[in-house]
Amino acid sequence: MNQAESDNAAYHWGMVIDLDRCTGCGACVVACQAENNVPTVGETLCSQGREMQWIRIERYWEGQYPEVRARFIPLLCQHCDNAPCEPVCPVYASYHTSEGLNGQVYNRCVGTRYCANNCPFSARVFNFFEPEWPEPLNNQLSPDLTVRSKGVMEKCTFCIQRIRRGKEDAKLEGRPVRDEDIVPACAQTCAPGAIVFGNMADPESRAFRLARSKRRFRLLEDLGTEPSVIYLKGGGREDD
Amino acid sequence: MKNTRVVIFLAFVLLATAVTLLVFYNLGYIFYFPASSDDRSPAQPIAFSHRLHAGERGIHCEYCHRSARISSTAGVPDVALCRSCHMYIAADRPVIKDLSRYWIEGRPIPWVRVHRLPDFAFFPHRMHLNAGVYCDQCHGNVAAMDRVERVSGLNMGWCLDCHRRKSASIDCWTCHR
């Protein structure tokens, strides 16, 4: 899928995260873990930096004590249009969909971990060991997506199972996808409403309008990876 | 002389490697697809005849497989649905008495799965039915089978053939996620 083709597609999924609204509560992290069958790895592996989170909260301090303020950045896969993880995969497990998503096909992945090493956002996590689901955690596994096994790379999918469901529902009703059809788990649970997901190819969508804000910026923009996640920051009044 | 020995030794090593690899490859295959493709028509706990129900009596597939049009799964009917008819119809036959025992004991019938997809493949029944791909295109003429037999390969190439023919999506994330 080249750039011109994806520009003409009916859908280009994107996300807007308002950092002025984010309180750093971490509800999105928990919601993602529950929705996407993301395993918990335990204390030892966590201390070795092998914790598995598809979205994490980065914390920064602003100012000097006592005039100090914490700022948070929820960091997930940026679904770059020019993704560094894609060309390095030897088995095409990491690929670009026609809808601007950065796909990861678990059953193709052979676990070279090249993609994660090439990701400037460290958004990808690897199953170093067979994930365990002790009772009663196994009962809350979602049947809508794969339970990954050892040796497989995984990452945020923008809740592809919800995107599929939203598109299927819309198709059965014979209409295009609307804003409210697809809400990823992190956006659904965000109490201050900092996360907005939507179709960037639709000028009427809320995400599209928010993405035109003066407060917009994208992470590591100088790398030219063209992320689909747009952050808003700058304080003051919202200009939505 | 020495060269010949080396050649023989190397040939032996190559042969041994090939045999080992072949054995492990096949072992891996067997463990990867546990409900192996060999048994396409496994024995069922109750001798339910699709030929009788769907064929002779003409009961529509969706009368029992009720969620096919609205959900990803077609749905295997519960014992209550079987019983809603068989409380009155042929209630004295031995097979139906077997069926009633499940109801009395409050147990589900342990049907043996015939059409099994790998866990990383997702097949939404509702999208196919609503697109006009009906049951028989994948499941064959079930109305002529006493015991259901799998007639399709159910492998990815078989899916993709049809998806290409009908210009359906062949994006990986349509079925794998």
Side-chain angles (χ1 to χ4, degrees):
Chain A
M1 182 61 48
N2 61 39
Q3 191 66 43
E5 269 179 77
S6 66
D7 281 349
N8 293 328
Y11 301 111
H12 189 109
W13 306 114
M15 186 177 269
V16 179
I17 302 181
D18 193 334
L19 300 182
D20 296 329
R21 281 171 175 245
C22 177
T23 61
C25 67
C28 49
V29 180
V30 179
C32 176
Q33 198 113 16
E35 167 75 18
N36 287 305
N37 300 344
V38 184
T40 49
V41 296
E43 207 175 331
T44 323
L45 284 175
C46 206
S47 66
Q48 292 167 0
R50 289 175 176 175
E51 76 269 31
M52 298 183 73
Q53 289 173 351
W54 286 8
I55 180 170
R56 62 179 193 271
I57 307 282
E58 303 249 302
R59 189 206 57 206
Y60 297 92
W61 295 113
E62 241 176 33
Q64 289 293 317
Y65 182 83
E67 297 295 316
V68 71
R69 189 185 171 195
R71 296 298 300 238
F72 306 98
I73 300 184
L75 211 140
L76 64 164
C77 171
Q78 305 287 306
H79 290 272
C80 309
D81 283 344
N82 193 6
C85 53
E86 285 163 8
V88 295
C89 181
V91 294
Y92 303 103
S94 177
Y95 80 109
H96 214 66
T97 75
S98 56
E99 297 171 357
L101 292 173
N102 174 228
Q104 174 73 10
V105 186
Y106 306 123
N107 43 314
R108 265 190 191 164
C109 179
V110 294
T112 66
R113 315 206 303 279
Y114 202 160
C115 52
N117 291 328
N118 220 28
C119 174
F121 307 100
S122 300
R124 289 169 165 266
V125 287
F126 187 68
N127 287 281
F128 279 98
F129 297 95
E130 195 66 43
E132 286 173 21
W133 306 96
E135 295 267 2
L137 281 180
N138 56 343
N139 290 325
Q140 61 106 50
L141 288 173
S142 166
D144 291 334
L145 69 164
T146 319
V147 177
R148 282 80 56 186
S149 51
K150 181 170 84 174
V152 170
M153 187 63 71
E154 58 183 68
K155 63 162 196 82
C156 163
T157 63
F158 273 168
C159 285
I160 181 64
Q161 67 280 14
R162 295 189 180 203
I163 296 178
R164 286 301 312 166
R165 172 163 290 248
K167 282 181 68 184
E168 285 173 8
D169 285 344
K171 190 173 181 185
L172 292 183
E173 288 170 28
R175 58 174 175 79
V177 174
R178 291 192 296 251
D179 262 4
E180 63 272 19
D181 287 334
I182 303 167
V183 183
C186 54
Q188 186 185 12
T189 198
C190 184
I195 304 177
V196 176
F197 176 84
N199 180 12
M200 293 298 188
D202 173 17
E204 299 297 311
S205 77
R206 183 154 174 252
F208 180 92
R209 281 187 285 113
L210 281 173
R212 264 70 195 158
S213 163
K214 288 190 206 77
R215 296 183 294 137
R216 70 166 266 154
F217 75 98
R218 293 189 290 188
L219 289 180
L220 305 182
E221 214 155 3
D222 52 314
L223 294 179
T225 63
E226 301 292 326
S228 295
V229 179
I230 286 152
Y231 291 90
L232 306 180
K233 179 172 173 274
R237 197 176 58 84
E238 277 185 53
D239 48 6
D240 171 26
Chain B
M1 188 64 193
K2 204 173 181 183
N3 269 348
T4 332
R5 268 192 194 170
V6 170
V7 166
I8 290 171
F9 177 72
L10 278 178
F12 178 75
V13 166
L14 268 176
L15 197 73
T17 322
V19 167
T20 319
L21 278 177
L22 207 68
V23 165
F24 275 93
Y25 179 80
N26 284 324
L27 275 182
Y29 193 80
I30 288 162
F31 284 116
Y32 201 59
F33 298 106
S36 188
S37 5
D38 302 316
D39 198 1
R40 287 173 164 241
S41 178
Q44 301 289 352
I46 285 180
F48 175 87
S49 167
H50 274 87
R51 184 186 52 75
L52 183 63
H53 288 81
E56 280 178 31
R57 300 286 181 256
I59 302 171
H60 196 275
C61 311
E62 287 178 60
Y63 180 76
C64 298
H65 302 288
R66 292 193 160 179
S67 52
R69 198 167 284 272
I70 52 170
S71 149
S72 291
T73 51
V76 175
D78 49 17
V79 187
L81 188 67
C82 304
R83 202 177 139 77
S84 66
C85 289
H86 280 298
M87 250 181 3
Y88 310 105
I89 300 170
D92 51 344
R93 302 252 177 92
V95 183
I96 305 304
K97 282 187 174 146
D98 284 350
L99 170 75
S100 303
R101 202 173 305 128
Y102 284 104
W103 171 262
I104 293 161
E105 291 170 9
R107 286 194 296 134
I109 306 169
W111 297 113
V112 181
R113 187 153 202 151
V114 182
H115 296 84
R116 186 183 165 279
L117 287 179
D119 291 345
F120 47 76
F122 294 84
F123 177 89
H125 274 86
R126 60 172 187 162
M127 295 315 285
H128 291 84
L129 274 182
N130 283 290
V133 180
Y134 294 117
C135 314
D136 58 326
Q137 295 199 24
C138 303
H139 294 286
N141 187 12
V142 172
M145 302 174 192
D146 267 322
R147 193 162 85 195
V148 171
E149 183 186 349
R150 182 163 64 81
V151 294
S152 311
L154 295 187
N155 47 24
M156 187 168 140
W158 174 79
C159 292
L160 281 177
D161 274 350
C162 192
H163 269 235
R164 287 216 175 89
R165 254 198 328 274
K166 296 183 185 299
S167 314
S169 169
I170 52 166
D171 184 58
C172 311
W173 259 3
T174 303
C175 309
H176 301 301
R177 56 194 182 224

